[in-house]
Amino acid sequence: MNSQSFSPIWFKLLLCAAGILVLFLAACSSLVPPPTPTLSPLEIQGRSIYDSYCSRCHSTNTDTIIVGPSLAGIAERGDHRIEGMDSATYIRFSITNPGGYTVEGFPEGQMPSSLKDELGEEDLDALIAYLLTLR
């Protein structure tokens, strides 16, 4: 047998392997998470307010508890906390009336009641806009 009789088989195997590699890479590319959405100016302002006021007690990581509950997913969970309230209304209620609802597993009275006085309506709206990006 000469080397020429083996070359078509090796060539076919190489093409097959290349095809499998292309399919594998195409499948893996669908596993890449979508890019993080760009925040609006109002949401950026809200993130700054969160960093200044809320991050001392609330994390935005799912499994991280600082003092109060994590705010990761609050945009979706808020719809189910108090019947009849959507997430935006629930977040506003929680800030302006901190004793009105306490998340199960956390002690009452830890949310500062002064926050509503420290934030104006514009800052409160910005903070809520940011928190609604936390899905």
Side-chain angles (χ1 to χ4, degrees):
M1 285 190 211
N2 63 31
S3 62
Q4 290 180 344
S5 64
F6 289 105
S7 63
I9 293 171
W10 286 109
F11 183 71
K12 287 179 183 179
L13 287 173
L14 182 61
L15 284 177
C16 184
I20 291 171
L21 180 62
V22 167
L23 289 174
F24 177 75
L25 292 174
C28 288
S29 69
S30 66
L31 300 176
V32 175
T36 303
T38 304
L39 298 178
S40 71
L42 183 65
E43 293 163 348
I44 291 170
Q45 177 186 351
R47 183 175 57 192
S48 176
I49 295 162
Y50 164 83
D51 289 342
S52 297
Y53 290 91
C54 310
S55 66
R56 293 176 246 164
C57 298
H58 297 279
S59 171
T60 57
N61 295 324
T62 305
D63 298 324
T64 303
I65 304 297
I66 300 170
V67 175
S70 168
L71 296 179
I74 191 65
E76 295 169 354
R77 279 196 329 272
D79 286 341
H80 308 290
R81 288 278 166 85
I82 299 177
E83 188 173 332
M85 285 190 189
D86 64 5
S87 293
T89 305
Y90 166 73
I91 293 167
R92 182 177 297 276
F93 177 78
S94 295
I95 294 169
T96 59
N97 186 15
Y101 176 83
T102 301
V103 173
E104 186 178 328
F106 292 90
E108 292 184 29
Q110 289 197 335
M111 179 79 170
S113 59
S114 62
L115 189 57
K116 66 181 176 189
D117 299 325
E118 293 176 39
L119 299 177
E121 280 300 312
E122 182 181 322
D123 285 344
L124 182 57
D125 290 342
L127 176 59
I128 292 168
Y130 170 67
L131 295 176
L132 290 174
T133 69
L134 303 178
R135 299 200 168 274

